[in-house]
Amino acid sequence: MCPASHINDLLKEPVLDLDVEVRGWVHRTRSSGKIVFDVLRDATGIIQVTIKKGNLPDMEFESAQMSHIESSVIVRGRMFKDDRAPGGYEIRASSFTLVGTSAPYPITEYQSEELLLDNRHLWIRSREQTAIMKVKASLMKGARDWLNSNEFYEVTPPIFTQNACEGGVTLFKLKYFDDQAFLSQSAQMYLEALIFSLEKVYAITPSFRAEKSRTTRHLTEFWHLELEEAWTDSKLNMEIQENLVSAMVAKAVEERSEELKLLGRDVADLKEIVPPFKRVTYAQMIDRLKQKEFEIEWGADLGAAEERAVTEDEKVPTFVTNFPRECKAFYMKEDPDDPKTVKCADLLAPEGYGEIIGGSERETDLAKLLERLEANNIPTEAYQWYLDLRKFGSVPHSGFGLGVERVVRWVCKLEHIRDAVPFPRTVARVYP
Ligand code: ATP
Ligand code: MG
């Protein structure tokens, strides 16, 4: 018996002189008495199959007639060129095995967003969702390849924590035996501790934030790629980011141009994502926004509308540096050249997709850190271990956190971030 092939392998290198076998799911089906026309789907692609009565045992023909959408099947037969078929070929079946029957499929062509979200466990089989997941896998592979070849160690920080590095309001609290703990919002502090043994570290973990606002770019559980490096200032930190993001995008272009096209993304846009990215200061951003008639003054944080307005015509990402220190977390280093600001950078995606990375050089001055904790009304008990890092051989260091789904949303041109993750968790949904 011939071994089963993947559909795309057959479409790339058609086998015309021998029987082929494919395994997959019925994507579309119609029948006209003596012929059943199926489109089969596997993890790699789709192919047309015609099952004609008389070319195979009657029982198998009847199985084909009974196979509804999403039934799992194994088909054997010959490949023929057919310009009307998707991919240019069809298989004429000489054998048809129904492996798993399918109940009437709840998803038809026009469905409400809610129904698709309720049936997410089935909707992830759609071609669009499949394409997004493949692009995401390539982006993550591109990241790991770049990080590993640049000698960063992948480390495994905890998810249970008592830190609240990104602020108390978005913490998920939980009972931890007789104590209280939180789900991690960021691994940053643990990565800072790890640079003293490994110098260059990164982690890819879920982060949890109880974001109550319904936006198109916030999940309550997202995948966070965080990096921390010893002996690195804010300038070098940005260079690492632009190289990393470019390598991620390049891998997606290399491996997933078909899927990107299906999602409506022109890969020519992505080929422009190469270092250096643009750099502007927060103060310059405020001036630009004022020119665009925004009522904004120095000191206000940039929201989604502001980020969109300044990047919608851009082709490459933009770093916004030197935010006022009141806008940012306590651990960011004061800029000695402009002490009302900190040595930070947010990286904004082009085309108005908004922030994809938040990063900074970290404050190493213990007195300043204590001052900032107090100014932010943060009790220091839970941070004693973190403050210790400044007492035992402190070194200049920097790092950042990249939101994986934010990058996927931009690269795949998605309206909403929930489509960048197979099972989205938002304020309104944790099922399925
Ligand atoms: P924003 O201002 O957009 O809410 P943030 O400033 O809270 O983001 P950081 O604390 O800097 O974000 O987190 C680092 C990165 O993690 C962000 O740049 C973003 O890419 C991603 N991120 C943060 N919060 C979320 C979220 N709720 N859902 C998805 N990604 C997120
Ligand atoms: Mg940020």
Side-chain angles (χ1 to χ4, degrees):
M1 193 175 117
C2 52
S5 304
H6 268 130
I7 289 171
N8 253 17
D9 294 340
L10 288 178
L11 293 176
K12 265 189 245 146
E13 283 178 48
V15 178
L16 299 174
D17 47 350
L18 289 172
D19 271 6
V20 297
E21 182 174 294
V22 291
R23 297 184 290 213
W25 293 265
V26 175
H27 183 59
R28 282 197 289 271
T29 181
R30 79 192 153 85
S31 150
S32 65
K34 292 194 163 59
I35 306 187
V36 177
F37 297 95
D38 280 349
V39 175
L40 278 202
R41 163 182 77 71
D42 71 5
T44 66
I46 56 173
I47 193 162
Q48 179 169 302
V49 177
T50 50
I51 306 113
K52 198 169 172 188
K53 195 173 163 73
N55 286 353
L56 68 175
D58 281 354
M59 289 249 296
E60 294 186 20
F61 179 74
E62 280 155 28
S63 295
Q65 282 184 310
M66 278 169 14
S67 300
H68 299 298
I69 284 177
E70 291 306 321
S71 305
S72 48
V73 302
I74 302 175
V75 171
R76 196 164 348 128
R78 280 289 166 97
M79 267 180 102
F80 289 87
K81 212 166 159 30
D82 179 348
D83 292 335
R84 291 160 309 173
Y89 289 89
E90 70 165 12
I91 296 174
R92 296 184 193 161
S94 55
S95 151
F96 185 99
T97 312
L98 175 58
V99 179
T101 57
S102 184
Y105 203 53
I107 302 173
T108 52
E109 200 164 350
Y110 300 101
Q111 294 295 352
S112 73
E113 197 57 41
E114 276 309 292
L115 184 135
L116 294 179
L117 286 166
D118 286 340
N119 286 287
R120 191 68 166 194
H121 53 298
L122 301 174
W123 180 235
I124 48 173
R125 301 179 182 194
S126 67
R127 297 199 76 206
E128 186 191 41
Q129 291 288 320
T130 304
I132 296 167
M133 292 188 283
K134 288 182 184 176
V135 173
K136 186 177 195 176
S138 293
L139 289 166
M140 293 180 81
K141 190 199 231 179
R144 280 205 171 85
D145 285 354
W146 188 87
L147 291 161
N148 296 338
S149 64
N150 282 278
E151 289 162 359
F152 285 86
Y153 290 96
E154 182 165 8
V155 295
T156 57
I159 301 296
F160 285 138
T161 173
Q162 291 189 321
N163 305 329
C165 34
E166 302 305 326
V169 284
T170 64
L171 279 176
F172 279 107
K173 295 192 183 64
L174 53 100
K175 196 165 151 2
Y176 192 78
F177 303 105
D178 293 329
D179 203 351
Q180 178 180 258
F182 311 121
L183 292 177
S184 173
Q185 295 172 309
S186 162
Q188 179 196 318
M189 292 185 178
Y190 296 102
L191 298 191
E192 283 189 63
L194 285 159
I195 60 164
F196 295 89
S197 23
L198 300 170
E199 294 189 25
K200 295 166 67 162
V201 297
Y202 75 96
I204 303 178
T205 64
S207 279
F208 302 88
R209 298 188 187 185
E211 313 267 11
K212 296 228 176 64
S213 49
R214 291 166 193 254
T215 73
T216 54
R217 57 185 213 166
H218 288 96
L219 296 163
T220 54
E221 174 180 332
F222 66 96
W223 284 83
H224 210 170
L225 190 170
E226 291 173 278
L227 178 150
E228 203 67 31
E229 193 179 4
W231 316 108
T232 297
D233 64 5
S234 186
K235 182 168 174 285
L236 184 53
N237 194 30
M238 285 187 268
E239 288 165 17
I240 295 169
Q241 291 169 50
E242 61 198 358
N243 284 312
L244 171 66
V245 170
S246 302
M248 292 171 74
V249 171
K251 183 62 84 185
V253 170
E254 175 197 325
E255 296 188 339
R256 296 293 157 211
S257 58
E258 284 295 313
E259 286 78 5
L260 288 162
K261 208 163 109 195
L262 185 137
L263 294 165
R265 164 60 78 191
D266 186 347
V267 291
D269 299 342
L270 298 179
K271 288 185 178 155
E272 294 192 39
I273 309 303
V274 286
F277 295 168
K278 294 202 171 160
R279 285 158 172 74
V280 298
T281 64
Y282 166 88
Q284 290 167 325
M285 237 6 151
I286 295 295
D287 286 343
R288 279 196 207 172
L289 285 165
K290 282 183 172 162
Q291 280 163 21
K292 287 181 183 275
E293 319 275 297
F294 272 78
E295 283 188 23
I296 190 165
E297 292 304 326
W298 199 95
D301 206 353
L302 303 181
E306 288 81 14
E307 290 181 2
R308 192 176 322 112
V310 291
T311 60
E312 60 195 351
D313 300 325
E314 296 293 346
K315 295 263 183 262
V316 297
T318 306
F319 288 107
V320 188
T321 67
N322 285 87
F323 276 71
R325 76 169 159 211
E326 286 68 30
C327 295
K328 291 292 179 189
F330 73 91
Y331 48 73
M332 296 192 180
K333 188 179 174 64
E334 181 179 294
D335 189 341
D337 297 331
D338 184 9
K340 24 180 226 322
T341 72
V342 286
K343 295 179 81 175
C344 68
D346 280 358
L347 182 62
L348 310 185
E351 304 166 13
Y353 284 98
E355 179 180 329
I356 51 174
I357 299 185
S360 72
E361 189 167 334
R362 315 306 190 187
E363 186 58 81
T364 44
D365 183 327
L366 183 58
K368 286 213 165 95
L369 269 180
L370 288 166
E371 205 179 282
R372 295 293 306 286
L373 281 167
E374 200 183 321
N376 284 282
N377 288 320
I378 303 174
T380 53
E381 299 90 76
Y383 294 100
Q384 288 308 319
W385 71 267
Y386 180 71
L387 297 170
D388 266 357
L389 304 179
R390 307 304 191 256
K391 298 181 198 162
F392 296 91
S394 182
V395 290
H397 63 286
S398 299
F400 59 86
L402 171 151
V404 175
E405 288 79 15
R406 294 267 180 106
V407 175
V408 172
R409 177 174 173 240
W410 154 49
V411 169
C412 294
K413 282 189 111 156
L414 306 178
E415 190 76 19
H416 201 294
I417 194 168
R418 67 182 165 224
D419 285 324
V421 65
F423 295 99
R425 270 78 183 97
T426 59
V427 60
R429 183 171 289 276
V430 286
Y431 174 92

